[in-house]
Amino acid sequence: LAPSTSQVPSTVPTANPTFAPTTTLSLPPSMSQVPSTVPTHDPTSAPTLPCDMTPEDRAAAVSEAVADMVLIPRTLEYAASAQSLARKWLAEDDKLYPPLCPGQDGTRLQQRFGLALLHFAVGGESEIEGRGWAYRPSEDEFLSPINECDWAGVDCNSDTRKVTRIELPGRKMRGTLPAELFTVFEDLKVLNLQNNRVRGCIPDEIGTASSLEFLYLSANELACVLPSTLPKELEEIDLLDNGIGGPIPGGMLMGLEKLQMLSLGKNDLTGTVPTEIENLQALRTLHLDENKLISSLPMELYKLTNLVSLRLSENSFDSTLSSSIEKLSKLKELY
């Protein structure tokens, strides 16, 4: 008899067989297999020095660079000269960090030296003879360990970071203007030191300040004579109320095609008004009052047809105004 179905062994596997998982034992890695998290360090490597120089070498390099900026080298032979004080400060005492590097930061070194020189030349140091500039509470003083563009009264071009304006009126300055003030600032457009006690001469080097447009030095104690040449870009000159003597140099008036204001009143100017005055065709304001000028006014004066304000009083002119004054149709102030 054939076996019953229940007696026949099944050879068909189940649809979902199960398997026991295989367990793999992991052994702890040896110490040589553990990755190191401690950075390697070369005990022989030296720390990086600013400018790749020792402080002593950098100071010597800065001193050498400054020496090339000084116009009269012998001034550096005197430890108390403004040039020597500015060089020492820049080379040894300036706390700016990172420091400026000779060869890399030439323009910055030059203008930082120029501003430090102005500081020492006109009494920025309060320890010297009880002097010291007047600062407002919110201002950063000269020689602060920050960018010189952020010092009080200093403005720089936002792109080039070169000094374009120095405006320090009424700061209790006392001293003389250094010649380098007009040679180290390549882009200086405005110099305003009005209402201080700056004395001495206006350096002849002002003629090399090719970017200067506005010069305001009124109400100081300037003496000597006027410079023989002036920058050709000048638009306004205010030297009112000083002690400047001598004649008005005709050569000083040459090439000033953009000049709109020439204020020389309340000085000690002598001689005559030069005929070269006719070169100032853009002039709107001419103030020559309260001087010691003599003789007759030149006819060239009446060719300045853009004049709006003309002051000639309290001089020793030997004639009255010519009827040619009628040519000055824009004139609104005359005395």
Side-chain angles (χ1 to χ4, degrees):
L1 296 173
S4 64
T5 303
S6 61
Q7 292 175 314
V8 178
S10 173
T11 60
V12 181
T14 60
N16 297 299
T18 59
F19 301 92
T22 302
T23 302
T24 303
L25 297 178
S26 299
L27 295 178
S30 64
M31 292 302 293
S32 63
Q33 295 173 312
V34 178
S36 172
T37 58
V38 181
T40 59
H41 176 69
D42 182 1
T44 63
S45 62
T48 302
L49 294 171
C51 306
D52 293 326
M53 297 179 180
T54 65
E56 295 77 14
D57 287 344
R58 178 190 169 275
V62 170
S63 292
E64 184 177 350
V66 169
D68 291 336
M69 304 174 198
V70 174
L71 298 177
I72 304 176
R74 68 174 179 270
T75 58
L76 295 174
E77 298 174 5
Y78 306 99
S81 71
Q83 287 81 0
S84 289
L85 291 171
R87 180 173 72 165
K88 181 181 183 299
W89 174 80
L90 191 61
E92 303 174 16
D93 302 325
D94 188 2
K95 304 303 181 185
L96 180 70
Y97 193 87
L100 301 178
C101 300
Q104 302 176 34
D105 302 308
T107 298
R108 289 281 312 279
L109 276 171
Q110 185 166 304
Q111 65 185 22
R112 201 167 176 88
F113 166 71
L115 292 170
L117 177 59
L118 178 63
H119 171 88
F120 288 110
V122 288
E125 289 290 271
S126 59
E127 292 82 5
I128 301 177
E129 300 179 10
R131 297 181 294 181
W133 293 357
Y135 288 102
R136 302 180 184 91
S138 60
E139 292 180 324
D140 291 299
E141 298 184 9
F142 269 45
L143 310 191
S144 297
I146 58 174
N147 192 298
E148 63 278 5
C149 294
D150 297 321
W151 291 353
V154 178
D155 282 329
C156 295
N157 181 286
S158 59
D159 296 322
T160 65
R161 302 305 288 166
K162 291 183 178 181
V163 172
T164 57
R165 305 170 72 96
I166 300 175
E167 298 188 85
L168 295 164
R171 298 287 179 150
K172 299 182 180 179
M173 292 180 173
R174 297 174 63 180
T176 59
L177 296 177
E180 292 86 355
L181 181 62
F182 300 104
T183 60
V184 298
F185 300 106
E186 299 172 352
D187 292 355
L188 183 64
K189 298 181 182 301
V190 180
L191 179 63
N192 181 357
L193 305 180
Q194 292 175 319
N195 193 27
N196 283 288
R197 297 185 64 184
V198 178
R199 61 180 186 272
C201 306
I202 299 173
D204 283 336
E205 285 77 7
I206 190 174
T208 67
S210 58
S211 296
L212 193 62
E213 298 175 358
F214 301 91
L215 177 66
Y216 304 123
L217 296 175
S218 63
N220 277 285
E221 299 173 2
L222 294 168
C224 298
V225 297
L226 290 168
S228 57
T229 59
L230 289 170
K232 306 310 179 189
E233 295 298 314
L234 275 171
E235 297 181 22
E236 295 187 2
I237 304 170
D238 188 359
L239 302 177
L240 174 74
D241 195 10
N242 279 280
I244 301 170
I248 302 172
M252 186 189 77
L253 306 179
M254 301 296 291
L256 300 179
E257 298 176 358
K258 299 180 180 180
L259 192 66
Q260 297 183 38
M261 183 181 80
L262 179 60
S263 178
L264 301 176
K266 296 185 179 180
N267 279 283
D268 292 316
L269 296 172
T270 60
T272 62
V273 177
T275 58
E276 289 86 350
I277 195 78
E278 74 170 310
N279 290 289
L280 309 182
Q281 287 299 307
L283 203 64
R284 295 171 56 83
T285 300
L286 177 61
H287 293 170
L288 301 175
D289 53 309
E290 296 187 45
N291 279 286
K292 300 174 181 177
L293 299 171
I294 61 172
S295 191
S296 59
L297 293 169
M299 294 303 295
E300 286 80 4
L301 176 66
Y302 304 110
K303 296 179 181 180
L304 304 181
T305 55
N306 285 307
L307 274 180
V308 175
S309 177
L310 176 61
R311 297 182 183 179
L312 302 169
S313 63
E314 297 188 47
N315 281 285
S316 298
F317 297 122
D318 59 10
S319 64
T320 59
L321 289 172
S322 165
S323 59
S324 297
I325 192 74
E326 296 177 358
K327 296 179 181 179
L328 306 182
S329 58
K330 298 180 181 179
L331 199 62
K332 295 182 179 179
E333 180 187 52
L334 173 64
Y335 73 83

